[in-house]
Amino acid sequence: MTLPLRRPGRALGLLPAGTRVTENTADPLWPARLAGDLRKLSADWQESAEVCADAAWAARAAGNSVLGLLHPGQVTATGLDPVTARTYRHLYFSGLRYDFRCAALQSLAEPLLESERGPLDCYSRALYAFALLGQSRPEGLAVMDEVLDEAGDHAKTLHVLLHGLWLGLDLDQGAQRLLALSTRPPLHSATDPIVAFRRAGALRRLGHYDASLAAIDRALDLLPPGDTTVHADLVRERSLTATARDLHHHLLVPGGTPT
């Protein structure tokens, strides 16, 4: 977990909050405990996003999804302090994102966007954009552009948008937009296996099969040992690209018949 440093020693206070969650996701009260930790630290939206995204992923991987601990009413409840409300929103929206529940995420986010409680933070709006992009809703592109104007180089936010472009189909210039976004700092780093994975999918859609295979092979090399879930996703992407390339080459052979 890489946390933005707002003042000296800031990360030293935030890292334990996330570590307590990732090491004990079986505790059904961890979302409330995390909200309390972030409230004490007066965490901003970037810091909340960093901690909550990783916590939601770790809990899901351990079979303790936050979707089974929080309910929508807690996410939309009035009367919560701003940090707690944002923590619950970041956790629950992230859980929906990781399960690809785009329609549910959209239906939960839109009433909040239209409420009089003030604008949602940038990361929450990025997750809303993901929900639209993942359903191939063209209005998601406009929401994405608005988020990009505010997100700066916040990696977690950019990854959410990259994920939405990767999941969506038939978006206007969707693959090209994904490739362009992947070159934006800090995603342009050559050391992120997820960025290479997303790029591979976009290149496959554009018919650049050899470049796609090179990207997925790079992702496999960069992936830390033991990450079996993501490794399986990369292997599936490689198999899909190799099959698409072979079919393409077969169709180019005069008289060839696809099988």
Side-chain angles (χ1 to χ4, degrees):
M1 183 190 302
T2 303
L3 291 166
L5 191 61
R6 291 194 303 176
R7 50 183 178 266
R10 181 68 177 172
L12 295 179
L14 285 160
L15 280 173
T19 301
R20 277 192 292 273
V21 172
T22 57
E23 292 181 349
N24 192 24
T25 59
D27 178 5
L29 296 179
W30 72 257
R33 298 188 197 282
L34 179 59
D37 287 341
L38 295 182
R39 185 172 61 251
K40 290 175 185 176
L41 292 165
S42 299
D44 61 20
W45 71 262
Q46 293 99 325
E47 293 164 339
S48 176
E50 294 285 341
V51 175
C52 290
D54 287 349
W57 178 261
R60 181 179 183 273
N64 301 310
S65 172
V66 69
L67 300 181
L69 301 177
L70 293 175
H71 57 81
Q74 290 174 276
V75 180
T76 59
T78 58
L80 295 174
D81 67 273
V83 174
T84 298
R86 186 181 61 208
T87 301
Y88 287 170
R89 187 168 63 243
H90 283 177
L91 287 172
Y92 203 82
F93 282 13
S94 294
L96 292 171
R97 170 199 168 197
Y98 294 143
D99 278 4
F100 297 148
R101 301 187 186 189
C102 297
L105 204 168
Q106 178 190 351
S107 66
L108 198 58
E110 286 182 341
L112 295 174
L113 289 164
E114 297 166 0
S115 74
E116 298 178 356
R117 285 180 280 179
L120 292 184
D121 65 276
C122 185
Y123 190 67
S124 295
R125 286 185 282 115
L127 288 160
Y128 173 57
F130 163 82
L132 297 174
L133 295 170
Q135 298 175 88
S136 303
R137 300 281 296 270
E139 58 266 37
L141 296 172
V143 178
M144 180 185 75
D145 289 340
E146 292 173 2
V147 170
L148 285 173
D149 287 340
E150 185 180 341
D153 61 354
H154 187 247
K156 292 289 189 188
T157 300
L158 301 182
H159 265 290
V160 169
L161 300 175
L162 201 70
H163 194 186
L165 289 171
W166 173 84
L167 183 61
L169 301 172
D170 302 322
L171 292 166
D172 180 33
Q173 300 286 302
Q176 293 89 336
R177 289 172 187 265
L178 189 158
L179 293 174
L181 180 57
S182 72
T183 65
R184 177 168 172 159
L187 299 186
H188 71 298
S189 168
T191 61
D192 191 326
I194 302 303
V195 174
F197 172 41
R198 307 290 186 218
R199 284 182 59 84
L203 290 164
R204 172 176 51 77
R205 283 190 238 171
L206 293 172
H208 303 321
Y209 302 118
D210 290 337
S212 177
L213 289 171
I216 205 67
D217 286 344
R218 184 164 62 254
L220 286 164
D221 287 338
L222 292 170
L223 192 69
D227 196 337
T228 56
T229 301
V230 177
H231 185 272
D233 289 340
L234 300 186
V235 171
R236 279 192 293 269
E237 176 63 37
R238 195 183 195 288
S239 177
L240 183 61
T241 302
T243 299
R245 185 193 64 174
D246 292 347
L247 179 59
H248 175 73
H249 288 170
H250 188 80
L251 291 173
L252 292 179
V253 177
T257 302
T259 59

